[in-house]
Amino acid sequence: MEPAAPPPAPAPPAGLVCAQGRNLRAVLCQRCGSRVLLPGAATFARRELLLPAMRKKAAAAAAGGGGDVLWEHWLVRDMFSFENVGFTRDVGNVKFLVCADCEAGPIGWHCLDDKDSFYVALERVAHE
């Protein structure tokens, strides 16, 4: 099976990204509304990432195969920029990001080979 071709590169989502490419609005958990990132804490990025289907943290860590290919993310360069995020156990060289309050996720992805890149999928979070 051939890899998915990237979708055309549309403009970043209107109302979510400032002229500098940073998030204009707070990023929240879709399930419980817990604040994940403050405005200005992340940069809009396009990258193909496969995230398992949304579920509780323990199930997300054990999930194998399947999931969603997502392209639009908030890129966070410092893990201390998060207001509220949890991590699954290592799945190969990846940790998935989950809501630290309700453990819904994965909402994002972090490769252990790159200590300064944390991706939060726009489709998996809400904005206020």
Side-chain angles (χ1 to χ4, degrees):
M1 183 196 255
E2 294 182 27
L16 294 182
V17 182
C18 72
Q20 294 77 30
R22 301 193 73 74
N23 60 309
L24 279 172
R25 299 163 59 190
V27 176
L28 311 173
C29 173
Q30 285 181 342
R31 178 190 270 171
C32 72
S34 180
R35 189 174 305 257
V36 176
L37 290 166
L38 292 174
T43 305
F44 179 75
R46 290 184 53 80
R47 180 176 178 177
E48 178 183 16
L49 295 175
L50 174 67
L51 292 179
M54 292 283 286
R55 58 189 81 192
K56 285 283 206 169
K57 181 170 71 173
D68 303 312
V69 174
L70 303 172
W71 287 90
E72 295 183 335
H73 309 278
W74 293 120
L75 172 59
V76 178
R77 293 291 185 182
D78 181 357
M79 71 182 292
F80 296 106
S81 296
F82 287 102
E83 292 296 303
N84 184 6
V85 76
F87 295 88
T88 64
R89 294 185 191 136
D90 297 1
V91 180
N93 68 336
V94 171
K95 285 185 181 276
F96 293 107
L97 282 61
V98 298
C99 173
D101 282 344
C102 71
E103 296 186 345
I107 60 170
W109 182 92
H110 170 65
C111 179
L112 298 173
D113 297 334
D114 184 357
K115 301 291 184 200
D116 299 324
S117 295
F118 303 85
Y119 292 90
V120 177
L122 268 68
E123 289 183 29
R124 301 273 179 105
V125 293
H127 298 87
E128 129 183 296

